[in-house]
């Protein structure tokens, strides 16, 4: 264990936690806990990215401590209250808080941002990345939302569509971000599906289950990202896939198609393919067409370009990509993949390098860097 290295990294890790919103004293405690964990774990499992590992573990330690402290304060606040005799029923008002934060006085986008920050536990930076806007813009949006609801009564809960959007974004951040929130998002969506009969609630639950079923295969033993085409499908959770497909089929049978059902249908087609070569890309493109019609989302059209490249060849995919803004997140990564498929290794290597610099997390950055290095080696030989 290189203690000098740990000491040299400590200020940088501390700075990251403070920028994410931790107060300095709590950040110091979390970093110290992470260093203790490093001493315990690293001799047997040394990380490839030392600072990234420390940041992730310290942030989790900070969140755990913050939640424990909040729970302690709640217990202290209740100490003078006399509980009724007999066993007390368990309560969980998290989902109710999601609805209350989605207040009718807020626009849907502001309600989502406020709920993600106040209840979901995401940082302003994470929410800004999810919405594809600068962090300063999102900070202003959240501040305005707080001011808007500061003088209103929370007796008019928001609509289901806004709550679904929040749960979807929480799940996505948990699935691919720094903090594991995906299991909590699934739990709350199950609660919502049990409480109301709504095809889009069912569609979102199916989508979450189908994505979560592949989670064990998404990461290599060294922590590296494993793309869908290279995943060991024997590690997929077949029980979760079967449940997700069953929920989706029942929702689609109601003929009230929404964006979450369409996304779940795409995920189900991936899950249904025994191998990547057997993936029904033609049908996936058709579902992306439906999804683009429902959402008019540039990210959907970016993903559609990949599917077109698989169904009709890389040049068709590049033609679909050319109609999009090259400032879109992961645009360079998609362009790199399609150019590699088309045999243009020089352009692909350059684009993989560009994509690595823009990657939203360490695992994705390392994967894209390795792709660029692989193509550069091939060209040199």
């Amino acid at each position: 264990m290189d203690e000098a290295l740990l000491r040299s990294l400590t200020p940088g890790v501390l700075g990251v936690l403070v920028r994410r919103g931790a107060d300095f004293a709590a950040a110091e405690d979390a970093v110290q806990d992470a260093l203790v964990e490093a001493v315990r774990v690293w001799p047997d499992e040394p990380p490839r990215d030392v600072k990234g590992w420390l940041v992730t573990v310290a942030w989790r330690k900070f969140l755990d401590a913050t939640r424990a402290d909040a729970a302690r304060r709640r217990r202290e606040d209740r100490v003078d209250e006399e509980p009724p005799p007999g066993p007390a029923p368990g309560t969980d008002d998290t989902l109710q808080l999601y609805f209350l934060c989605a207040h009718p006085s807020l626009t849907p986008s502001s309600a989502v941002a406020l709920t993600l920050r106040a209840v979901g536990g995401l940082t302003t930076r994470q929410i800004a990345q999810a919405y594809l806007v600068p962090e300063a813009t999102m900070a202003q949006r959240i501040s305005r939302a707080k001011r808007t609801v500061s003088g209103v009564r929370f007796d008019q809960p928001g609509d289901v569509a806004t709550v679904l959007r929040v749960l979807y974004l929480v799940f996505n951040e948990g699935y691919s971000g720094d903090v594991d929130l995906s299991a909590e998002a699934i739990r709350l969506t199950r609660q919502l599906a049990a409480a109301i009969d709504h095809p889009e609630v069912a569609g979102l639950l199916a989508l979450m289950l189908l994505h979560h079923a592949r989670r064990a295969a998404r990461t290599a033993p060294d922590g590296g990202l494993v793309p869908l085409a290279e995943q060991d499908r024997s590690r997929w959770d077949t029980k979760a896939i079967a449940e997700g497909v069953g929920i989706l089929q029942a929702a689609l049978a109601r003929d009230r198609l929404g964006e979450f059902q369409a996304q779940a249908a795409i995920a189900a087609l991936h899950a249904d393919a025994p191998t990547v070569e057997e993936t029904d890309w033609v049908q996936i493109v058709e579902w992306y067409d439906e999804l683009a019609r429902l959402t008019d989302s540039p990210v959907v059209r970016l993903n559609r370009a990949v599917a077109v490249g698989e169904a009709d060849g890389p040049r068709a995919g590049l033609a679909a990509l050319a109609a999009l803004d090259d400032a879109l997140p992961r645009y360079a990564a998609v362009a790199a993949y399609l150019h590699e498929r088309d045999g243009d290794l020089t352009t692909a290597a350059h684009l993989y390098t560009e994509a690595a610099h823009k990657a939203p997390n360490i695992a994705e950055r390392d994967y894209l860097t390795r792709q660029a290095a692989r193509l550069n080696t091939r060209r040199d030989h």
Side-chain angles (χ1 to χ4, degrees):
M1 177 65 59
D2 191 338
E3 295 183 5
L5 174 62
L6 290 178
R7 286 196 298 271
S8 69
L9 291 173
T10 297
V13 176
L14 184 60
V16 172
L17 265 63
V18 171
R19 287 194 296 275
R20 288 185 179 181
D23 66 83
F24 191 81
E28 279 190 317
D29 291 341
V31 172
Q32 290 301 316
D33 289 341
L35 294 176
V36 171
E37 187 73 3
V39 171
R40 185 182 69 83
V41 172
W42 287 6
D44 297 323
E45 300 178 22
R48 296 187 59 188
D49 185 336
V50 173
K51 183 177 179 181
W53 188 97
L54 286 172
V55 168
T56 299
V57 173
W59 183 245
R60 288 174 180 167
K61 296 287 186 183
F62 166 74
L63 290 178
D64 290 343
T66 300
R67 289 165 182 158
D69 187 57
R72 176 187 58 77
R73 288 197 300 270
R74 286 195 298 271
R75 290 193 299 269
E76 291 173 351
D77 290 341
R78 293 195 299 266
V79 72
D80 294 330
E81 298 177 6
E82 184 66 30
T91 59
D92 178 5
D93 59 359
T94 306
L95 192 58
Q96 181 183 3
L97 290 174
Y98 271 68
F99 273 95
L100 290 176
C101 282
H103 198 272
S105 63
L106 298 173
T107 64
S109 61
S110 295
V112 170
L114 178 62
T115 313
L116 290 172
R117 186 72 183 93
V119 187
L122 273 66
T123 66
T124 303
R125 177 184 61 82
Q126 290 169 320
I127 302 169
Q129 288 178 344
Y131 268 91
L132 313 181
V133 299
E135 184 174 351
T137 301
M138 183 52 65
Q140 292 175 353
R141 184 179 300 177
I142 293 172
S143 294
R144 285 196 299 269
K146 289 178 179 178
R147 288 196 298 270
T148 299
V149 301
S150 62
V152 301
R153 290 175 55 85
F154 280 88
D155 54 3
Q156 293 179 276
D159 66 346
V160 173
T162 301
V163 173
L164 288 179
R165 177 63 51 190
V166 175
L167 289 169
Y168 174 66
L169 291 172
V170 169
F171 176 82
N172 278 346
E173 186 60 40
Y175 192 66
S176 61
D178 299 329
V179 184
D180 188 353
L181 298 167
S182 54
E184 173 71 357
I186 291 173
R187 183 184 73 85
L188 293 173
T189 307
R190 283 191 186 279
Q191 284 187 7
L192 188 57
I196 62 175
D197 183 19
H198 192 297
E200 273 292 82
V201 176
L204 179 58
L205 179 56
L207 175 63
M208 289 178 174
L209 290 170
L210 290 164
H211 277 308
H212 205 63
R214 302 200 301 259
R215 186 167 189 178
R218 292 183 73 245
T219 307
D222 64 358
L225 182 68
V226 181
L228 176 62
E230 300 171 20
Q231 289 176 15
D232 178 359
R233 299 186 177 216
S234 67
R235 300 185 64 197
W236 290 1
D237 185 343
T238 55
K239 182 178 178 182
I241 290 173
E243 181 185 5
V245 169
I247 292 171
L248 172 64
Q249 288 175 338
L252 290 175
R254 300 177 64 175
D255 198 25
R256 290 169 55 193
L257 184 64
E259 64 173 291
F260 294 124
Q261 294 169 72
Q263 287 192 57
I266 294 168
L269 287 167
H270 284 297
D272 189 53
T275 66
V276 66
E277 292 78 16
E278 295 174 86
T279 304
D280 189 346
W281 287 106
V282 172
Q283 194 172 353
I284 287 175
V285 171
E286 292 174 355
W287 275 112
Y288 270 122
D289 289 339
E290 288 285 351
L291 189 56
R293 179 182 61 80
L294 289 165
T295 66
D296 195 28
S297 164
V299 175
V300 168
R301 297 186 187 282
L302 183 69
N303 292 330
R304 178 185 177 277
V306 177
V308 169
E310 299 291 350
D312 301 325
R315 296 197 176 181
L318 287 167
L321 190 65
L324 304 176
D325 184 351
D326 61 7
L328 278 172
R330 298 188 172 91
Y331 180 100
V334 170
Y337 174 74
L338 292 171
H339 277 290
E340 181 184 357
R341 288 275 318 279
D342 196 38
D344 186 351
L345 303 188
T346 300
T347 300
H350 172 76
L351 287 167
Y352 275 129
T353 301
E354 178 185 337
H357 289 307
K358 299 177 179 178
N361 56 65
I362 294 170
E364 190 169 332
R365 183 198 66 194
D366 290 348
Y367 171 77
L368 293 166
T369 300
R370 289 196 299 271
Q371 294 297 93
R374 174 180 58 81
L375 291 189
N376 285 326
T377 300
R378 283 178 58 183
R379 287 192 298 112
D380 292 342
H381 291 81

